[in-house]
Amino acid sequence: IMRVCVLTTSFPLYKGITIGAHVLQQVRRLSELGVEVDVLAPHHPGAPRHEMVDGVSVYRFRYMWPERRQTLCYGAGIPANLQKSLWAKIQLPFLLLMLFFNTLIVARRSDIIHAHWSLSGLAGTLAGKLLGKPVVVMLHHGKASVRSDPAIKFVSKTASCILCNSRYTLSKLLQAEKPRSAKVISPGVDVERFHPQVDKAPFFSSERDIPENRPLVLSLGRLIEWKGFQYLIDAMGAVQIDPPPYLLIGGRGPLRKTLERQVRLKGLEDRVRIVDHIPFEFIHHYYRAADVFVLPSIIDNEGNTEGLGVVLLEALACGIPCVASRVGGITDIVQDGKNGFLVEPKDPGAIADKITRLLQDKDLQQKMSEYGRSYVVNNFSWKSKARELHATYQKLIERQ
């Protein structure tokens, strides 16, 4: 029986949370294939130190004492926390040190180490050298350049294999580094859970303030610069159809007040609503209620953008056509004119035009819905991605 130690700096702290949910989905599918999985993730105040989650053993290590002082991980995410807090910067070396020591303990009985993100990769590759284990590092970065990231530089030279979530991420890695081995294995989607459904009652029973007689445009993601939500809000003011569509944006992040102020200044309070975190266990009802899903991502001032866009996979699996920016890994998912439309980033007019076209052409909407669902089922199901990952593990273990 194969045993894998998975290292991650982001893992669901409780049922229903979306942060790190793709890591949970991946290890759950590996477990279904008969792989024994141990997950090692940072602790958070109030979370259990050890628990079984869907047949997977999860260990959460403390990296600061008292535990209420652990504020580097979770929330807005490590990059955002580092930017806004000196205390978060102070915690970073302690996080890496404790992750390394705990990996030595947990991974000694494993056949392979799988680290998500470059920070985990640092600890994982060092521990792998000492333990004599092959190490896989998964990069989810959407950075325009990785040359300035010393962690990526190190893991590229030391990891047995670098896995990238999209062709875009792989291309940026290869432009900057020469890894020993690298390939694309993207995250997947639970196509049994995310599927088309005519009944919209669960959504409207939850969101009672949203009118049922108007088309619904949905967008989900962290409220940060490179998600580009400000351009989508501008686009809604330019969509001139009757009845006017309603935009629902779901997510948390530092730009919430800025976006809410934009909605008020544009006079769009009756057309745009920003809601807080949507529990993962309920999020499929939101997709099914939508007529169009939009991901208006951009490349921000620091070069960050979408590494892939898992929300697009979930929307397409539910049969919802998508409008998305032509940036990052989005082009691995959205096929222009087939399952949605691609637009240039920062172009509210183009977004408005594509939303209008989809809402006015029901035949086109239906064709894109059917093709989008089949495309995701055939290319991005979690079961197929887990089998692909298992085969990669097997080759590396045999080579070692």
Side-chain angles (χ1 to χ4, degrees), residues 188-191 376-387:
V189 64
D190 185 347
V191 295
V376 171
V377 169
N378 293 331
N379 296 280
F380 289 96
S381 74
W382 265 124
K383 287 183 179 179
S384 65
K385 293 302 177 183
R387 287 193 292 267

Side-chain angles (χ1 to χ4, degrees), residues 3 44 62-63 90 124 130 162 184 208 227-228 299 312 348 377:
R3 193 174 194 117
H44 191 70
R62 288 178 178 165
Y63 57 94
I90 293 172
L130 291 176
I162 303 291
V184 175
R208 298 180 184 275
K227 290 294 182 179
I299 298 175
L312 292 169
V377 169

